[in-house]
Amino acid sequence: MYAAGRRGGRRDRALLWCVLVAAWEAALGQLRYSVPEEMPKGSFVGDVVKDLALDLPALQDSGVHLLDKGRTQYFALHGKTGHLVTAERIDREQLCRLVEKCLLRCEVIVQGEMQVYRIEVEIRDINDNAPSFKEIELEERISETTAPGSRFPLSEAHDPDVGRNSLQRYELSGDEHFSLSVQAGPGGDQRPELVLAKALDREEAAFHELVLRASDGGEPSRTGTARIRVAVLDANDNAPAFSQAEYTVRVAEDVPVGSTLLTVTATDADEGVNGDVKYSLKKVTDLASQIFQLDSDTGGITLLRNLDFEEGESYELEVQARDGGGLFDTAKVKVTVTDVNDNVPQISIRSAHSTVSEDSPPGTVVALLHVQDRDSGANGQVRFSLDDGVPFRLEKTFEDYYRVVTAEVLDREEVSEYNVTVRASDGGSPSLWSSAVLSLRVLDVNDNAPVFAEARYSARVSENNAAGALVLTVRAADADWGQNARVRYRLWEGRVRGAPLSSYVSVHAETGALYALRSFDYEEVREVGLWVRAEDGGAPSLSSNVSVRLVIVDENDNAPQVLYPPPASGAVWAGVELAPRSAEPGALVAKVVAVDADAGQNAWLSYELAKATEPGLFRVGLHSGEVRTARVPLSRDAARQSLVVVVKDHGRPALSATATLTVVLAESVGELLSELGSAAAAPGEPPGSLTRWLVLAVAAVSCLFLAFLLLLLALRLRRWRRSQLLAAGSGALRGVPASHFVGIDGVRAFLHSYSHEVSLTADSRKSQLRFSGGSCCDTLPARPPPDEPAPLLAEDADGARRADPAAPPVSSSHHACSATPPCPAPLPFPIRVLCPVCRMRFSYKKGKSLLISSLCAGASCSVEVNVVSLLSVRFDFCETELDVSWLDDTCYGKSHRRSGGERFKGVVNS
């Protein structure tokens, strides 16, 4: 029981080991299946998708191929189920007649993943062949003198099946003189021998009929038979003998057909028929019988067809030499085939891409290749290589499989298409090689921005051009391809003289032609600078910019314009110049001034005297336009000379203008006026009209000048008077400590026992000065007598304070009020002040300084003026509002009032 347990444990471990080996092979990309031979087409072999853990829908999308290693396609991959099925009926004896274990290999290639999986399918033998003899009729010639126990080899039966289905046993029946003995050969094969069990007697029986039966071990068993006829001969003393028991020969596989490979020799000492030796092949395979031929007379072995090392490396033959008396001898012949480098490496493109993107990273797989050389040794060692200078390399992946991958980043703009030649050469001498070409097109990626043909563009455009005229064409090229290389142009928007740039020029989106949309005027725009942008059609698009400079070329489209003398406008003295009759030659009389709106040569002006009353009296400077005397005026020369000056530019054609200048030869203004008056007098107008108007004009100008002098003198006197008043008023405040004064831009206000803030606001409608309760009661008990007239200031609808010119003057000697109102609480700040002259409102706060002269526009306000001068200040005494004005001599007589209707007079110094 213990032994049975141990055997069960070993079986479990063996089964586990088989499972682990199968799982390991599947992980390495290898599968093994086993199927019997002679299965019909389409029979199930294995579930490849399941065993390799592949995704069937993904395989259907990416593509999968099955390749057999042999010349015939024995398997196929079902596209819908992923099952491996048979594509042909498989005969194991036909495929693997020399191999005991028949294995067929195929490969599954997944296109999208560039992966290779190897599949091995073992073809199991079935008992579909019966043992058979090469000759079913055998004849043995045995001498009657042969001793019992002698052995005679018989032809062996052949069964293509293997294992238990192959030949297992021989049986002999038919005669008691013979028995059967089966010997084991060196290779484990069974060799039947006929054993003489009982002495023969030719006179008793000249022939013996026997039946040899060969059986295999299949279920049911199959048998094959051969008939043996034994002829009893007379005695033969010597048997043939081979010179060697075993013959060996090495033959190159490229030996021509018909060549004699080897000659076997056997000798027989007998004479006559008993010494005549014949040769035959006793044991030979079907393949060897098709390749080799034995000459029965000479023993020469010749070649019937070409040898192929890849088909068979060695062959064994058994040769028999038999004499005429029936005696024989056997020898072995071993033919070894040596390999010759006669097979070119074969390159198969299992999977390949026809395109690759130029932004593919290095290492991107573009093709999967398989190389095979059927030779052996150095002749079968293959070296795989690519052309030099291509951005690809080879990587070995699985046995004889190689991947072609990118070695660097591709650039379609440099090379758009590759024809990669893959070369495979073996190690033979001479070496054989083959090649395959991979055509690969590089797909474009938008990685190049448009590039303009020039770094900057400039063009000269003549002014007054036609609208829509072509100015220039910008061109940009994109190194990309297709839509990525399609370039479109547009303008960067800008402004020219306040107008949009697009109203001046436009660019054609496809051609880059720049057109002028309006007629340019050099006098308005002399240069236009703009930017043109070129964009390609990629996603995202790339762009570049170029600057364009349009220079407007001036044309002579403006005639000279005469500034002086002005054109005649009805005035008699327009363009009239005075020239003394005593003038020396070359004396300057007048100057013609002209300008030209054009530029350059078109604006160069020249002056000519076209017409004159006295042609030789005056001359004109060619470039200066100065009119000078050419000689001394004579008494006979007319007093009034008319000159016509032509001003020309240097354009082509030249444009010109004329100026008419009147020169009066006179020694004084009176003569000039007399001459002009006589010239300008109309038929119905008296000659003295012009003189009268000139006198009136001179008188008006003189009056205005005198008025200005009087005004200036009045202002000077007023300033002097004010300085005198300020000096007199400051004497009353002598002896007061400096701490009781507060400065407002050089103006001092006396503060005795109270403090205040002055607020001067420019936007206030009221002006007020507020004191605290305690101080106002002690220092400013201002209460006007009940018989005072109306208040000093009246408030109009706008809220502005205006002074009353009918008010009596206020004496500066009043320093205190006649009564003191109650002050229950301190008064608020700030104080707002209004200037009655300029009506500006100012603001003053405690501790601040105000420069009145810089803000007030009144004629009586200056830096020296006291803060109480020309200002209307409003005091708030609790519930009673009091308006007080400080006045100096210039504003004396202004009235004062308080809001309660009571009159008040006096000057407040604080």
Side-chain angles (χ1 to χ4, degrees):
M1 184 174 181
Y2 175 73
R6 291 182 61 186
R7 287 194 298 272
R10 285 196 296 269
R11 284 197 300 270
D12 294 341
R13 286 193 296 271
L15 180 61
L16 178 60
W17 177 254
C18 293
V19 171
L20 291 176
V21 170
W24 177 258
E25 290 177 348
L28 292 176
Q30 298 185 9
L31 295 178
R32 291 180 182 270
Y33 297 108
S34 177
V35 294
E37 64 174 331
E38 302 294 341
M39 292 182 66
K41 181 180 179 180
S43 299
F44 174 79
V45 177
D47 192 346
V48 175
V49 174
K50 179 180 178 182
D51 295 339
L52 291 177
L54 300 176
D55 187 9
L56 183 59
L59 291 180
Q60 293 175 350
D61 295 337
S62 61
V64 61
H65 294 288
L66 182 71
L67 298 176
D68 275 354
K69 300 287 277 188
R71 295 183 176 91
T72 306
Q73 185 84 14
Y74 291 103
F75 301 100
L77 192 63
H78 198 282
K80 294 183 178 180
T81 62
H83 294 168
L84 185 67
V85 297
T86 58
E88 297 289 342
R89 183 181 294 274
I90 302 174
D91 186 1
R92 194 202 70 84
E93 289 74 29
Q94 182 180 0
L95 294 175
C96 309
R97 53 187 169 185
L98 299 178
V99 182
E100 181 177 357
K101 188 173 183 180
C102 185
L103 293 176
L104 294 182
R105 295 177 175 85
C106 59
E107 294 159 350
V108 176
I109 299 177
V110 180
Q111 292 278 44
E113 300 179 0
M114 291 289 180
Q115 291 291 335
V116 181
Y117 302 96
R118 168 166 287 185
I119 300 177
E120 291 185 353
V121 181
E122 180 183 0
I123 309 301
R124 301 196 306 271
D125 181 53
I126 62 174
N127 193 19
D128 58 342
N129 293 283
S132 61
F133 291 92
K134 185 177 181 182
E135 298 177 357
I136 60 176
E137 296 288 341
L138 302 178
E139 184 179 359
E140 292 290 339
R141 301 169 67 87
I142 303 176
S143 176
E144 61 181 339
T145 61
T146 302
S150 298
R151 296 174 178 271
F152 302 92
L154 300 176
S155 298
E156 297 180 11
H158 176 66
D159 192 337
D161 296 328
V162 296
R164 293 183 55 83
N165 297 326
S166 63
L167 179 65
Q168 297 294 325
R169 62 186 180 277
Y170 290 95
E171 296 176 356
L172 183 66
S173 62
D175 199 327
E176 60 181 2
H177 288 83
F178 297 95
S179 63
L180 183 65
S181 176
V182 180
Q183 302 293 329
D189 54 337
Q190 298 182 16
R191 297 182 176 182
E193 294 180 349
L194 186 64
V195 180
L196 182 61
K198 187 178 179 180
L200 297 176
D201 188 356
R202 185 178 182 279
E203 288 71 24
E204 181 181 350
F207 297 96
H208 296 271
E209 299 290 341
L210 304 175
V211 176
L212 179 62
R213 180 178 290 105
S215 303
D216 59 21
E219 293 183 2
S221 176
R222 293 178 179 266
T223 60
T225 58
R227 293 183 178 276
I228 303 174
R229 185 180 184 185
V230 180
V232 181
L233 302 177
D234 286 335
N236 184 13
D237 298 338
N238 297 289
F242 280 100
S243 60
Q244 296 177 213
E246 182 174 342
Y247 292 88
T248 301
V249 61
R250 297 180 64 85
V251 182
E253 63 175 330
D254 59 349
V255 173
V257 178
S259 301
T260 300
L261 307 181
L262 177 67
T263 299
V264 295
T265 304
T267 58
D268 194 324
D270 294 329
E271 295 181 354
V273 176
N274 295 329
D276 187 11
V277 179
K278 297 292 184 181
Y279 301 96
S280 63
L281 294 175
K282 295 301 292 181
K283 183 181 179 182
V284 62
T285 63
D286 294 338
L287 179 60
S289 64
Q290 298 175 6
I291 299 175
F292 305 103
Q293 182 181 11
L294 177 63
D295 191 327
S296 60
D297 294 329
T298 63
I301 299 176
T302 59
L303 193 62
L304 294 178
R305 67 178 180 86
N306 290 323
L307 294 173
D308 190 352
F309 176 83
E310 290 71 35
E311 186 178 4
E313 299 181 8
S314 64
Y315 300 92
E316 289 187 358
L317 309 175
E318 189 171 314
V319 183
Q320 186 182 71
R322 184 184 291 271
D323 59 16
L327 298 179
F328 64 88
D329 190 13
T330 59
K332 278 187 177 183
V333 177
K334 186 175 182 180
V335 180
T336 301
V337 182
T338 59
D339 184 39
V340 176
N341 191 23
D342 58 345
N343 290 283
V344 176
Q346 297 177 354
I347 301 174
S348 302
I349 301 176
R350 301 301 197 200
S351 179
H353 294 302
S354 60
T355 59
V356 60
S357 179
E358 66 174 324
D359 61 348
S360 300
T364 302
V365 181
V366 297
L368 182 64
L369 306 178
H370 177 263
V371 62
Q372 182 181 12
D373 194 325
R374 299 183 62 208
D375 293 326
S376 62
N379 297 330
Q381 295 178 357
V382 181
R383 295 186 299 273
F384 224 15
S385 62
L386 297 177
D387 288 340
D388 295 334
V390 294
F392 302 96
R393 69 173 185 271
L394 287 169
E395 291 182 354
K396 189 171 184 179
T397 58
F398 183 77
E399 291 187 355
D400 298 331
Y401 278 89
Y402 293 84
R403 293 191 304 181
V404 181
V405 300
T406 57
E408 58 188 45
V409 177
L410 304 179
D411 189 354
R412 192 207 65 84
E413 289 69 41
E414 293 183 1
V415 181
S416 61
E417 186 173 349
Y418 292 93
N419 290 321
V420 183
T421 301
V422 184
R423 184 185 298 268
S425 58
D426 58 24
S429 180
S431 177
L432 300 180
W433 61 273
S434 62
S435 62
V437 178
L438 297 174
S439 295
L440 198 63
R441 184 164 56 89
V442 182
L443 298 180
D444 183 50
V445 174
N446 191 25
D447 57 348
N448 290 277
V451 178
F452 283 93
E454 299 180 18
R456 61 185 58 86
Y457 289 86
S458 63
R460 298 174 65 85
V461 183
S462 298
E463 66 172 336
N464 304 320
N465 59 289
L470 176 64
V471 177
L472 81 160
T473 300
V474 296
R475 297 189 183 276
D478 197 312
D480 294 323
W481 182 81
Q483 186 66 22
N484 296 333
R486 183 181 179 184
V487 179
R488 295 181 65 86
Y489 305 89
R490 66 184 183 91
L491 286 177
W492 277 103
E493 191 57 52
R495 304 190 74 82
V496 178
R497 294 179 60 87
L501 177 63
S502 57
S503 65
Y504 281 84
V505 292
S506 68
V507 63
H508 195 279
E510 299 293 338
T511 63
L514 201 67
Y515 297 96
L517 298 181
R518 62 168 65 177
S519 178
F520 289 102
D521 189 354
Y522 176 83
E523 288 70 38
E524 294 183 359
V525 179
R526 299 195 175 186
E527 183 176 305
V528 177
L530 54 96
W531 288 85
V532 177
R533 183 172 188 174
E535 293 182 348
D536 58 24
S541 63
L542 301 178
S543 63
S544 61
N545 304 319
V546 69
S547 65
V548 179
R549 180 171 173 260
L550 303 181
V551 179
I552 312 303
V553 179
D554 181 51
E555 289 188 353
N556 192 25
D557 57 343
N558 291 280
Q561 182 180 1
V562 178
L563 301 181
Y564 186 84
S569 58
V572 178
W573 50 84
V576 177
E577 295 293 340
L578 176 64
R581 286 186 176 271
S582 59
E584 296 293 332
L588 178 63
V589 177
K591 183 175 182 179
V592 179
V593 180
V595 293
D596 195 317
D598 294 324
Q601 186 175 352
N602 297 328
W604 295 351
L605 301 180
S606 61
Y607 303 85
E608 296 179 4
L609 184 61
K611 184 178 180 183
T613 304
E614 294 291 339
L617 182 57
F618 298 99
R619 58 182 174 85
V620 179
L622 180 62
H623 300 294
S624 63
E626 295 178 347
V627 180
R628 296 180 180 272
T629 57
R631 58 179 176 80
V632 177
L634 302 176
S635 58
R636 68 173 182 271
D637 295 332
R640 188 168 182 269
Q641 298 286 329
S642 178
L643 306 179
V644 178
V645 179
V646 177
V647 184
K648 292 182 179 180
D649 57 24
H650 286 71
R652 294 183 181 179
L655 300 179
S656 62
T658 59
T660 301
L661 186 67
T662 300
V663 179
V664 177
L665 299 177
E667 294 293 341
S668 64
V669 178
E671 293 182 15
L672 172 64
L673 294 178
S674 175
E675 180 64 28
L676 291 178
S678 61
E685 186 179 359
S689 176
L690 179 60
T691 304
R692 185 169 55 253
W693 285 109
L694 289 176
V695 171
L696 289 177
V698 173
V701 172
S702 301
C703 292
L704 290 176
F705 180 70
L706 291 176
F708 174 73
L709 292 178
L710 293 175
L711 179 61
L712 182 61
L713 181 59
L715 291 176
R716 288 291 184 178
L717 291 174
R718 182 179 180 277
R719 180 171 297 180
W720 174 79
R721 179 182 178 86
R722 182 180 300 171
S723 62
Q724 294 296 324
L725 290 176
L726 290 176
S730 61
L733 301 176
R734 292 173 183 171
V736 180
S739 60
H740 289 183
F741 289 85
V742 60
I744 305 177
D745 297 331
V747 180
R748 295 182 176 180
F750 173 62
L751 303 177
H752 179 61
S753 60
Y754 61 92
S755 62
H756 65 279
E757 286 183 0
V758 181
S759 177
L760 311 177
T761 59
D763 57 349
S764 176
R765 293 289 178 161
K766 294 182 179 181
S767 301
Q768 54 187 348
L769 176 63
R770 296 174 181 167
F771 296 87
S772 61
S775 63
C776 70
C777 295
D778 295 337
T779 61
L780 196 62
R783 180 175 297 272
D787 55 351
E788 284 292 325
L792 173 64
L793 298 177
E795 185 173 353
D796 56 9
D798 298 333
R801 303 288 183 171
R802 297 182 179 178
D804 187 3
V810 181
S811 173
S812 60
S813 61
H814 292 82
H815 187 268
C817 303
S818 59
T820 302
C823 297
L827 298 177
F829 286 91
I831 300 172
R832 292 185 295 275
V833 181
L834 175 67
C835 176
V837 177
C838 63
R839 310 307 295 175
M840 290 190 66
R841 297 161 180 84
F842 308 99
S843 173
Y844 178 79
K845 292 184 179 180
K846 176 185 280 189
K848 302 296 181 179
S849 176
L850 177 66
L851 182 61
I852 297 177
S853 61
S854 64
L855 299 176
C856 181
S860 301
C861 297
S862 63
V863 178
E864 294 83 4
V865 75
N866 196 310
V867 71
V868 300
S869 176
L870 298 180
L871 295 177
S872 175
V873 182
R874 176 170 152 184
F875 295 83
D876 291 338
F877 293 92
C878 301
E879 300 298 330
T880 304
E881 296 180 355
L882 181 64
D883 294 343
V884 180
S885 293
W886 289 286
L887 304 175
D888 59 5
D889 295 355
T890 59
C891 298
Y892 191 80
K894 301 292 178 88
S895 62
H896 304 264
R897 73 170 184 177
R898 49 177 293 188
S899 61
E902 297 180 359
R903 305 283 295 177
F904 173 75
K905 292 185 179 180
V907 175
V908 180
N909 295 326
S910 298

